[in-house]
Amino acid sequence: MRLVLFRSSHQLRTLALCICLVFALPACSPKLDWRTIKNDSLNYAALFPGKPQLIDRTLSYQNSQLKQSLQFVKVDDDIFAVLTTEIPVALTNEVVAIETLLKNAILQQSILPNQSTPPAFNRVRESSAKAGPTSQQKQASQDFFLDLPQAKRVMRIRWIVRPISDGGLYLYQVSVVRAQSTTNPKLSLESALEQESINIFFDEFRPN
């Protein structure tokens, strides 16, 4: 499956639709079947709570086609995902702008009707990712939490940039999306998104 995304507002709506399609996938068994997935072609290893699916697509940016791969597992209403965007050498200085484009696509999902204040990511914790071929390096990163009221979900997300041997970059977007609690509507974002299974997924993501 390959989806071509177009820039500007249409591009953001299309990427948001891709996110919604993942939400709509049938739920899997509630049992967490942890397995390490080594994605050698994208230079990372991740511990998924089940057998992941993979969607390849392209992102149009400044007359270039950026390769993207979305690897994810849905367990009940929780979605564990790694989105990888390959940035060529000629666009490495655009990595911040490309990351902002991805963030804006997600923020579109959190806008309520007649909302006057633009939504924003809540930075809740400093973190680090084990990186390098032997996972001995530590790369500083930040985790953000986001309420998605339109979809009745909450999200934890982290972005990591790593070099590629050809001089380009990989931009990794590691995320977990889960349904808002119906039994405890006052449950904080931190409490909902810092549960053990979610912490394991983030802690065990290891880019080369």
Coordinates of all heavy atoms in Angstrom, one line a residue, residues 24-116:
A24 N -9.0 2.9 12.8 CA -10.2 2.1 12.4 C -9.9 0.6 12.2 O -10.8 -0.2 12.0 CB -10.8 2.7 11.1
L25 N -8.6 0.2 12.3 CA -8.3 -1.2 12.1 C -8.9 -2.0 13.2 O -9.0 -1.6 14.3 CB -6.8 -1.4 12.1 CG -6.0 -0.8 10.9 CD1 -4.5 -0.9 11.1 CD2 -6.4 -1.6 9.6
P26 N -9.2 -3.3 12.9 CA -9.8 -4.1 13.9 C -8.9 -4.3 15.1 O -7.6 -4.4 14.9 CB -10.1 -5.4 13.2 CG -10.1 -5.1 11.8 CD -9.2 -3.9 11.6
A27 N -9.4 -4.5 16.3 CA -8.5 -4.7 17.5 C -8.0 -6.1 17.5 O -8.6 -7.0 17.0 CB -9.4 -4.5 18.7
C28 N -6.8 -6.2 18.0 CA -6.1 -7.5 18.1 C -6.4 -8.1 19.5 O -7.1 -7.5 20.3 CB -4.6 -7.4 17.9 SG -4.2 -6.6 16.3
S29 N -5.8 -9.3 19.7 CA -6.0 -9.9 21.0 C -5.4 -9.0 22.1 O -4.4 -8.3 21.9 CB -5.2 -11.2 21.0 OG -5.1 -11.7 22.4
P30 N -6.0 -8.9 23.3 CA -5.5 -8.1 24.4 C -4.2 -8.5 24.9 O -3.5 -7.8 25.6 CB -6.6 -8.1 25.4 CG -7.3 -9.4 25.1 CD -7.3 -9.6 23.7
K31 N -3.8 -9.8 24.6 CA -2.6 -10.3 25.2 C -1.4 -9.6 24.5 O -1.3 -9.5 23.3 CB -2.5 -11.8 24.9 CG -1.2 -12.5 25.5 CD -1.2 -13.9 25.2 CE 0.1 -14.6 25.7 NZ 0.1 -16.0 25.4
L32 N -0.4 -9.2 25.3 CA 0.8 -8.5 24.8 C 1.8 -9.6 24.5 O 2.3 -10.3 25.4 CB 1.3 -7.5 25.8 CG 0.4 -6.4 26.2 CD1 1.1 -5.4 27.2 CD2 0.0 -5.6 24.9
D33 N 2.1 -9.7 23.2 CA 3.1 -10.7 22.8 C 4.4 -10.0 22.3 O 4.6 -9.8 21.1 CB 2.5 -11.5 21.6 CG 3.4 -12.6 21.1 OD1 4.4 -13.0 21.8 OD2 3.1 -13.2 20.0
W34 N 5.2 -9.6 23.3 CA 6.4 -8.8 23.0 C 7.4 -9.5 22.1 O 7.7 -10.7 22.3 CB 7.1 -8.4 24.3 CG 6.2 -7.4 25.1 CD1 5.5 -7.7 26.2 CD2 6.0 -6.0 24.9 NE1 4.9 -6.6 26.7 CE2 5.2 -5.5 25.9 CE3 6.5 -5.2 23.9 CZ2 4.8 -4.2 26.0 CZ3 6.1 -3.8 24.0 CH2 5.2 -3.4 25.0
R35 N 7.9 -8.8 21.1 CA 8.9 -9.4 20.2 C 9.8 -8.2 19.7 O 9.3 -7.1 19.4 CB 8.2 -10.1 19.0 CG 7.3 -9.2 18.2 CD 6.5 -10.0 17.2 NE 5.5 -10.8 17.8 CZ 4.8 -11.8 17.2 NH1 5.0 -12.1 15.9 NH2 3.8 -12.4 17.8
T36 N 11.0 -8.5 19.6 CA 12.0 -7.5 19.0 C 12.0 -7.6 17.5 O 12.2 -8.7 16.9 CB 13.4 -7.8 19.6 OG1 13.4 -7.6 21.0 CG2 14.4 -6.7 18.9
I37 N 11.7 -6.5 16.9 CA 11.7 -6.4 15.4 C 12.9 -5.6 15.0 O 13.0 -4.4 15.3 CB 10.4 -5.8 14.9 CG1 9.1 -6.5 15.4 CG2 10.4 -5.7 13.4 CD1 9.1 -8.0 14.9
K38 N 13.8 -6.2 14.2 CA 15.0 -5.5 13.7 C 14.7 -5.1 12.3 O 14.6 -6.0 11.4 CB 16.2 -6.4 13.8 CG 16.6 -6.8 15.2 CD 17.9 -7.6 15.2 CE 18.4 -7.8 16.6 NZ 19.6 -8.6 16.7
N39 N 14.5 -3.8 12.1 CA 14.3 -3.3 10.7 C 15.6 -2.8 10.2 O 15.9 -1.6 10.3 CB 13.2 -2.2 10.8 CG 12.6 -1.9 9.4 OD1 13.4 -1.9 8.4 ND2 11.4 -1.5 9.4
D40 N 16.4 -3.7 9.6 CA 17.7 -3.4 9.1 C 17.7 -2.3 8.0 O 18.6 -1.5 7.9 CB 18.4 -4.7 8.6 CG 18.7 -5.6 9.7 OD1 18.9 -5.2 10.9 OD2 18.7 -6.9 9.5
S41 N 16.7 -2.4 7.2 CA 16.6 -1.4 6.1 C 16.4 0.0 6.6 O 16.7 1.0 5.9 CB 15.5 -1.8 5.1 OG 14.2 -1.8 5.7
L42 N 15.8 0.2 7.8 CA 15.5 1.5 8.3 C 16.4 1.8 9.5 O 16.2 2.8 10.2 CB 14.1 1.6 8.6 CG 13.1 1.6 7.4 CD1 11.7 1.6 7.9 CD2 13.4 2.7 6.4
N43 N 17.3 0.9 9.8 CA 18.3 1.1 10.9 C 17.8 1.3 12.3 O 18.2 2.1 13.0 CB 19.2 2.4 10.5 CG 20.1 2.2 9.3 OD1 20.2 1.1 8.8 ND2 20.7 3.2 8.9
Y44 N 16.8 0.4 12.6 CA 16.4 0.5 14.0 C 15.8 -0.9 14.5 O 15.5 -1.8 13.6 CB 15.3 1.5 14.2 CG 13.9 1.2 13.6 CD1 13.0 0.4 14.3 CD2 13.5 1.9 12.5 CE1 11.8 0.1 13.7 CE2 12.2 1.6 11.9 CZ 11.4 0.7 12.6 OH 10.1 0.5 12.1
A45 N 15.8 -1.1 15.8 CA 15.1 -2.2 16.4 C 14.1 -1.7 17.3 O 14.3 -0.7 18.0 CB 16.1 -3.1 17.1
A46 N 12.9 -2.4 17.4 CA 11.9 -1.9 18.3 C 11.2 -3.2 18.9 O 11.2 -4.2 18.3 CB 10.8 -1.1 17.5
L47 N 10.8 -3.0 20.2 CA 10.1 -4.1 20.9 C 8.6 -3.8 20.8 O 8.0 -2.9 21.4 CB 10.5 -4.1 22.3 CG 10.0 -5.3 23.2 CD1 10.5 -6.6 22.7 CD2 10.4 -5.1 24.6
F48 N 7.9 -4.6 19.9 CA 6.5 -4.4 19.7 C 5.7 -5.5 20.5 O 6.1 -6.6 20.6 CB 6.2 -4.6 18.2 CG 6.5 -3.4 17.3 CD1 7.6 -3.4 16.6 CD2 5.5 -2.4 17.2 CE1 7.9 -2.3 15.8 CE2 5.8 -1.3 16.4 CZ 7.0 -1.2 15.7
P49 N 4.5 -5.1 20.9 CA 3.7 -6.0 21.7 C 2.8 -7.0 20.8 O 1.7 -7.4 21.1 CB 2.8 -5.1 22.5 CG 2.6 -3.9 21.6 CD 3.9 -3.8 20.9
G50 N 3.3 -7.3 19.6 CA 2.7 -8.2 18.7 C 3.4 -8.1 17.3 O 4.3 -7.3 17.2
K51 N 2.9 -8.8 16.4 CA 3.5 -8.8 15.0 C 3.0 -7.5 14.3 O 1.8 -7.3 14.1 CB 3.0 -10.0 14.2 CG 3.7 -10.1 12.8 CD 3.2 -11.4 12.1 CE 3.9 -11.4 10.7 NZ 3.5 -12.7 10.0
P52 N 4.0 -6.7 13.9 CA 3.6 -5.4 13.3 C 3.2 -5.5 11.9 O 3.7 -6.4 11.2 CB 4.9 -4.5 13.5 CG 6.0 -5.5 13.5 CD 5.4 -6.8 14.1
Q53 N 2.4 -4.5 11.4 CA 2.2 -4.3 10.0 C 3.0 -3.2 9.5 O 3.5 -2.4 10.2 CB 0.7 -4.0 9.8 CG -0.3 -5.1 10.3 CD -1.7 -4.7 10.1 OE1 -2.1 -4.4 9.0 NE2 -2.5 -4.7 11.1
L54 N 3.2 -3.2 8.2 CA 4.1 -2.1 7.6 C 3.4 -1.5 6.4 O 2.9 -2.2 5.5 CB 5.4 -2.8 7.1 CG 6.4 -1.8 6.5 CD1 6.9 -0.8 7.6 CD2 7.6 -2.6 5.9
I55 N 3.3 -0.2 6.4 CA 2.8 0.6 5.3 C 3.9 1.5 4.7 O 4.5 2.3 5.5 CB 1.6 1.4 5.7 CG1 0.4 0.6 6.2 CG2 1.1 2.3 4.6 CD1 -0.8 1.3 6.8
D56 N 4.1 1.4 3.4 CA 5.1 2.3 2.8 C 4.3 3.4 2.0 O 3.2 3.1 1.4 CB 6.0 1.6 1.8 CG 6.9 0.6 2.5 OD1 7.4 0.9 3.6 OD2 7.2 -0.5 1.9
R57 N 4.8 4.6 2.0 CA 4.2 5.7 1.3 C 5.3 6.8 1.0 O 6.4 6.6 1.4 CB 3.1 6.3 2.2 CG 3.6 6.9 3.5 CD 2.4 7.1 4.5 NE 2.8 7.8 5.6 CZ 2.0 7.9 6.7 NH1 0.9 7.2 6.8 NH2 2.4 8.6 7.8
T58 N 4.9 7.8 0.3 CA 5.8 8.9 0.0 C 5.2 10.2 0.5 O 4.0 10.4 0.5 CB 6.1 9.0 -1.5 OG1 4.9 9.2 -2.2 CG2 6.9 7.8 -1.9
L59 N 6.0 11.2 0.8 CA 5.6 12.5 1.2 C 6.3 13.5 0.3 O 7.5 13.6 0.1 CB 6.1 12.8 2.7 CG 5.9 14.2 3.2 CD1 4.5 14.5 3.4 CD2 6.7 14.3 4.6
S60 N 5.4 14.3 -0.4 CA 5.9 15.4 -1.3 C 6.4 16.6 -0.5 O 5.7 17.1 0.3 CB 4.8 15.8 -2.3 OG 4.5 14.7 -3.1
Y61 N 7.7 17.0 -0.7 CA 8.2 18.1 0.0 C 9.2 18.8 -0.9 O 10.2 18.2 -1.4 CB 8.9 17.7 1.3 CG 9.4 18.8 2.1 CD1 8.6 19.6 2.9 CD2 10.8 19.2 2.0 CE1 9.1 20.6 3.6 CE2 11.3 20.2 2.8 CZ 10.4 21.0 3.6 OH 10.9 22.0 4.3
Q62 N 9.0 20.0 -1.3 CA 9.9 20.8 -2.1 C 10.3 20.1 -3.4 O 11.4 19.9 -3.7 CB 11.1 21.3 -1.3 CG 10.8 22.2 -0.2 CD 12.0 22.8 0.4 OE1 13.2 22.5 0.0 NE2 11.9 23.8 1.3
N63 N 9.3 19.6 -4.1 CA 9.5 18.9 -5.4 C 10.3 17.6 -5.2 O 10.8 17.1 -6.2 CB 10.2 19.8 -6.4 CG 9.4 21.1 -6.7 OD1 8.2 21.0 -6.9 ND2 10.1 22.2 -6.8
S64 N 10.4 17.1 -4.0 CA 11.1 15.8 -3.8 C 10.0 14.9 -3.2 O 9.1 15.3 -2.5 CB 12.2 16.0 -2.8 OG 13.2 16.8 -3.4
Q65 N 10.3 13.6 -3.4 CA 9.5 12.5 -2.8 C 10.3 11.9 -1.6 O 11.3 11.2 -1.9 CB 9.1 11.5 -3.8 CG 8.3 12.1 -5.0 CD 6.9 12.6 -4.5 OE1 6.2 12.0 -3.8 NE2 6.6 13.8 -5.0
L66 N 9.8 12.1 -0.4 CA 10.5 11.5 0.8 C 9.8 10.1 1.1 O 8.6 10.0 1.2 CB 10.3 12.4 2.0 CG 10.8 13.9 1.8 CD1 10.7 14.6 3.1 CD2 12.2 13.9 1.3
K67 N 10.7 9.1 1.2 CA 10.2 7.8 1.5 C 9.8 7.7 3.0 O 10.5 8.2 3.9 CB 11.2 6.7 1.2 CG 11.6 6.6 -0.2 CD 12.7 5.6 -0.4 CE 13.1 5.4 -1.8 NZ 14.2 4.4 -2.0
Q68 N 8.6 7.2 3.2 CA 8.1 7.0 4.6 C 7.7 5.5 4.8 O 7.1 4.9 3.9 CB 6.9 7.9 4.9 CG 7.3 9.4 5.0 CD 6.1 10.2 5.5 OE1 5.0 10.1 5.0 NE2 6.3 11.0 6.6
S69 N 7.9 5.0 6.0 CA 7.5 3.7 6.4 C 6.8 3.7 7.7 O 7.4 4.3 8.7 CB 8.6 2.7 6.4 OG 9.2 2.5 5.1
L70 N 5.6 3.2 7.8 CA 4.9 3.2 9.1 C 4.8 1.7 9.5 O 4.1 0.9 8.9 CB 3.5 3.8 8.9 CG 2.6 3.7 10.2 CD1 3.1 4.6 11.3 CD2 1.2 4.2 9.8
Q71 N 5.4 1.4 10.7 CA 5.4 0.1 11.2 C 4.6 0.1 12.5 O 4.9 1.0 13.4 CB 6.8 -0.5 11.5 CG 6.8 -2.0 11.7 CD 8.2 -2.6 11.6 OE1 9.2 -1.9 11.9 NE2 8.3 -3.8 11.2
F72 N 3.5 -0.7 12.7 CA 2.6 -0.5 13.8 C 2.0 -1.8 14.2 O 1.8 -2.7 13.4 CB 1.6 0.6 13.5 CG 0.6 0.2 12.4 CD1 -0.6 -0.4 12.7 CD2 0.9 0.4 11.1 CE1 -1.5 -0.8 11.7 CE2 0.1 0.0 10.1 CZ -1.1 -0.6 10.4
V73 N 1.5 -1.8 15.5 CA 0.7 -2.9 16.0 C -0.5 -2.2 16.7 O -0.3 -1.2 17.4 CB 1.5 -3.7 17.0 CG1 0.6 -4.7 17.8 CG2 2.6 -4.5 16.3
K74 N -1.7 -2.8 16.6 CA -2.9 -2.4 17.3 C -3.2 -3.5 18.3 O -3.5 -4.6 17.8 CB -4.0 -2.1 16.4 CG -5.2 -1.5 17.1 CD -6.3 -1.0 16.2 CE -7.4 -0.3 16.9 NZ -8.5 0.2 16.1
V75 N -3.3 -3.2 19.5 CA -3.7 -4.1 20.6 C -4.8 -3.5 21.3 O -4.7 -2.5 22.0 CB -2.5 -4.4 21.6 CG1 -3.0 -5.4 22.6 CG2 -1.3 -5.0 20.8
D76 N -6.0 -4.1 21.2 CA -7.2 -3.5 21.7 C -7.4 -2.1 21.1 O -7.3 -2.0 19.9 CB -7.2 -3.4 23.2 CG -7.5 -4.8 23.9 OD1 -8.0 -5.7 23.1 OD2 -7.3 -5.0 25.1
D77 N -7.4 -1.0 21.9 CA -7.5 0.3 21.4 C -6.2 1.1 21.4 O -6.2 2.3 21.2 CB -8.6 1.1 22.2 CG -10.0 0.7 21.8 OD1 -10.2 0.3 20.6 OD2 -10.8 0.7 22.7
D78 N -5.1 0.4 21.7 CA -3.8 1.0 21.7 C -3.0 0.7 20.4 O -3.0 -0.4 19.9 CB -3.0 0.4 22.9 CG -3.5 0.8 24.3 OD1 -4.4 1.6 24.3 OD2 -3.1 0.2 25.3
I79 N -2.4 1.8 19.9 CA -1.6 1.7 18.7 C -0.2 2.0 19.0 O 0.1 3.1 19.5 CB -2.2 2.6 17.6 CG1 -3.6 2.3 17.3 CG2 -1.3 2.5 16.3 CD1 -4.3 3.3 16.4
F80 N 0.7 1.1 18.8 CA 2.2 1.3 19.0 C 2.8 1.4 17.6 O 2.7 0.5 16.8 CB 2.8 0.1 19.7 CG 2.2 -0.2 21.1 CD1 1.0 -0.8 21.2 CD2 2.9 0.2 22.2 CE1 0.4 -1.0 22.5 CE2 2.4 -0.1 23.5 CZ 1.2 -0.7 23.6
A81 N 3.5 2.6 17.3 CA 3.9 2.8 15.9 C 5.2 3.5 15.9 O 5.6 4.3 16.8 CB 2.8 3.7 15.2
V82 N 5.9 3.2 14.8 CA 7.2 3.9 14.4 C 7.0 4.4 12.9 O 6.9 3.5 12.0 CB 8.4 3.0 14.5 CG1 9.7 3.7 14.1 CG2 8.6 2.5 16.0
L83 N 7.0 5.7 12.7 CA 7.0 6.2 11.4 C 8.4 6.7 11.1 O 9.0 7.6 11.8 CB 6.0 7.4 11.3 CG 6.0 8.2 10.0 CD1 5.5 7.3 8.9 CD2 5.1 9.5 10.2
T84 N 9.0 6.2 10.0 CA 10.3 6.6 9.6 C 10.2 7.5 8.3 O 9.6 7.0 7.3 CB 11.2 5.4 9.3 OG1 11.2 4.6 10.5 CG2 12.6 5.8 9.0
T85 N 10.8 8.6 8.3 CA 10.9 9.5 7.1 C 12.4 9.6 6.7 O 13.2 10.0 7.5 CB 10.3 10.9 7.4 OG1 9.0 10.8 7.8 CG2 10.4 11.8 6.1
E86 N 12.7 9.2 5.5 CA 14.0 9.3 5.0 C 14.3 10.6 4.3 O 13.6 11.0 3.4 CB 14.3 8.2 4.0 CG 15.7 8.1 3.5 CD 16.0 6.9 2.5 OE1 15.2 6.0 2.5 OE2 17.0 6.9 1.8
I87 N 15.3 11.4 4.8 CA 15.6 12.7 4.3 C 16.9 12.6 3.6 O 17.9 12.3 4.1 CB 15.7 13.7 5.5 CG1 14.3 13.7 6.3 CG2 16.0 15.1 5.0 CD1 14.4 14.5 7.5
P88 N 16.9 12.9 2.3 CA 18.1 12.9 1.5 C 19.1 14.0 1.8 O 18.8 14.9 2.5 CB 17.6 13.0 0.0 CG 16.3 13.8 0.2 CD 15.7 13.4 1.5
V89 N 20.3 13.8 1.4 CA 21.4 14.7 1.7 C 21.0 16.2 1.4 O 21.3 17.1 2.1 CB 22.7 14.3 1.0 CG1 23.8 15.4 1.2 CG2 23.2 13.0 1.4
A90 N 20.4 16.3 0.2 CA 20.1 17.7 -0.3 C 19.1 18.4 0.6 O 18.9 19.6 0.6 CB 19.5 17.6 -1.7
L91 N 18.4 17.7 1.5 CA 17.3 18.3 2.4 C 17.6 18.1 3.8 O 16.7 18.4 4.7 CB 15.9 17.6 2.0 CG 15.4 17.9 0.7 CD1 14.1 17.2 0.5 CD2 15.1 19.4 0.5
T92 N 18.8 17.8 4.2 CA 19.1 17.6 5.6 C 18.9 18.9 6.4 O 18.6 18.8 7.6 CB 20.5 17.0 5.8 OG1 21.5 17.9 5.1 CG2 20.7 15.6 5.3
N93 N 19.1 20.0 5.8 CA 18.9 21.3 6.5 C 17.5 21.6 6.7 O 17.1 22.6 7.3 CB 19.7 22.4 5.8 CG 19.2 22.7 4.4 OD1 18.6 21.8 3.8 ND2 19.5 23.9 3.9
E94 N 16.6 20.8 6.1 CA 15.1 21.0 6.2 C 14.5 20.1 7.3 O 13.3 20.0 7.4 CB 14.5 20.8 4.9 CG 14.9 21.8 3.8 CD 14.3 23.1 4.0 OE1 13.2 23.2 4.5 OE2 15.0 24.1 3.8
V95 N 15.3 19.4 8.1 CA 14.8 18.4 9.0 C 13.8 19.0 10.0 O 12.7 18.4 10.3 CB 15.9 17.6 9.7 CG1 16.7 18.5 10.5 CG2 15.3 16.4 10.5
V96 N 14.1 20.2 10.5 CA 13.2 20.8 11.4 C 11.8 21.2 10.8 O 10.8 21.0 11.4 CB 13.8 22.1 12.0 CG1 12.8 22.8 12.9 CG2 15.1 21.7 12.8
A97 N 11.9 21.7 9.5 CA 10.7 22.0 8.8 C 9.8 20.8 8.5 O 8.6 20.8 8.6 CB 11.0 22.7 7.5
I98 N 10.5 19.7 8.2 CA 9.8 18.4 7.9 C 9.1 17.9 9.2 O 8.0 17.4 9.2 CB 10.7 17.4 7.3 CG1 11.2 17.9 5.9 CG2 10.1 16.0 7.2 CD1 12.3 17.1 5.3
E99 N 9.9 18.0 10.3 CA 9.3 17.5 11.6 C 8.1 18.4 12.0 O 7.1 17.9 12.4 CB 10.4 17.6 12.7 CG 9.9 17.2 14.0 CD 11.0 17.2 15.1 OE1 12.2 16.9 14.8 OE2 10.7 17.6 16.2
T100 N 8.2 19.7 11.7 CA 7.1 20.6 12.0 C 5.9 20.2 11.1 O 4.7 20.3 11.6 CB 7.5 22.0 11.7 OG1 8.6 22.4 12.6 CG2 6.3 23.0 12.0
L101 N 6.1 19.8 9.9 CA 5.0 19.4 9.0 C 4.3 18.2 9.6 O 3.0 18.1 9.6 CB 5.6 19.1 7.6 CG 4.6 18.7 6.5 CD1 3.6 19.9 6.2 CD2 5.3 18.2 5.3
L102 N 5.0 17.2 10.1 CA 4.4 16.0 10.7 C 3.7 16.4 12.0 O 2.6 15.9 12.2 CB 5.5 15.0 11.0 CG 6.3 14.5 9.8 CD1 7.4 13.5 10.3 CD2 5.4 13.8 8.8
K103 N 4.2 17.3 12.8 CA 3.6 17.7 14.0 C 2.2 18.4 13.7 O 1.2 18.2 14.3 CB 4.4 18.7 14.8 CG 5.7 18.0 15.4 CD 6.5 19.1 16.2 CE 7.7 18.4 16.9 NZ 8.5 19.4 17.6
N104 N 2.2 19.3 12.6 CA 1.0 20.0 12.3 C -0.1 19.0 11.9 O -1.3 19.3 12.1 CB 1.3 21.0 11.2 CG 2.1 22.2 11.7 OD1 2.1 22.5 12.9 ND2 2.7 22.9 10.8
A105 N 0.3 18.0 11.2 CA -0.7 17.0 10.7 C -1.4 16.3 11.9 O -2.6 16.1 11.9 CB 0.0 15.9 9.9
I106 N -0.6 16.1 13.0 CA -1.2 15.5 14.2 C -2.0 16.5 14.9 O -3.1 16.2 15.4 CB 0.0 14.9 15.1 CG1 0.7 13.8 14.3 CG2 -0.6 14.4 16.4 CD1 2.0 13.4 15.0
L107 N -1.5 17.7 15.0 CA -2.3 18.7 15.8 C -3.7 19.0 15.1 O -4.6 19.4 15.8 CB -1.5 20.0 15.8 CG -0.3 20.0 16.7 CD1 0.5 21.3 16.6 CD2 -0.7 19.8 18.2
Q108 N -3.8 18.8 13.8 CA -5.1 19.0 13.2 C -6.1 18.0 13.8 O -7.3 18.4 13.8 CB -5.0 18.7 11.7 CG -4.2 19.7 10.9 CD -4.8 21.1 10.9 OE1 -6.0 21.2 10.7 NE2 -4.0 22.1 11.1
Q109 N -5.7 16.9 14.3 CA -6.6 15.9 14.9 C -7.1 16.4 16.3 O -8.1 15.8 16.8 CB -5.9 14.6 15.0 CG -5.6 13.9 13.7 CD -6.9 13.6 12.9 OE1 -7.7 12.8 13.4 NE2 -7.0 14.2 11.8
S110 N -6.5 17.4 16.9 CA -6.8 17.8 18.2 C -7.6 19.0 18.3 O -8.0 19.5 19.4 CB -5.5 18.0 19.1 OG -4.8 19.0 18.6
I111 N -8.0 19.6 17.1 CA -8.7 20.8 17.1 C -10.2 20.6 17.3 O -10.8 19.7 16.6 CB -8.5 21.6 15.8 CG1 -7.0 22.0 15.6 CG2 -9.4 22.8 15.7 CD1 -6.7 22.6 14.3
L112 N -10.8 21.3 18.2 CA -12.2 21.2 18.5 C -13.0 22.2 17.7 O -12.4 23.3 17.4 CB -12.5 21.4 20.0 CG -12.1 20.2 20.9 CD1 -12.2 20.7 22.4 CD2 -12.8 19.0 20.6
P113 N -14.2 22.0 17.4 CA -15.0 23.0 16.6 C -15.1 24.3 17.4 O -15.2 24.4 18.6 CB -16.4 22.4 16.6 CG -16.2 20.9 16.7 CD -15.0 20.8 17.6
N114 N -14.9 25.4 16.7 CA -14.9 26.8 17.3 C -13.8 27.0 18.3 O -13.9 27.9 19.2 CB -16.3 27.1 17.9 CG -17.4 26.9 17.0 OD1 -17.3 27.4 15.8 ND2 -18.5 26.3 17.4
Q115 N -12.7 26.2 18.2 CA -11.6 26.4 19.2 C -10.8 27.6 18.8 O -10.4 27.8 17.6 CB -10.7 25.2 19.2 CG -9.6 25.3 20.2 CD -8.8 23.9 20.3 OE1 -9.3 22.9 19.8 NE2 -7.6 24.0 20.8
S116 N -10.6 28.5 19.7 CA -9.9 29.8 19.4 C -8.4 29.7 19.7 O -7.6 30.3 19.0 CB -10.4 31.0 20.2 OG -10.4 30.7 21.6

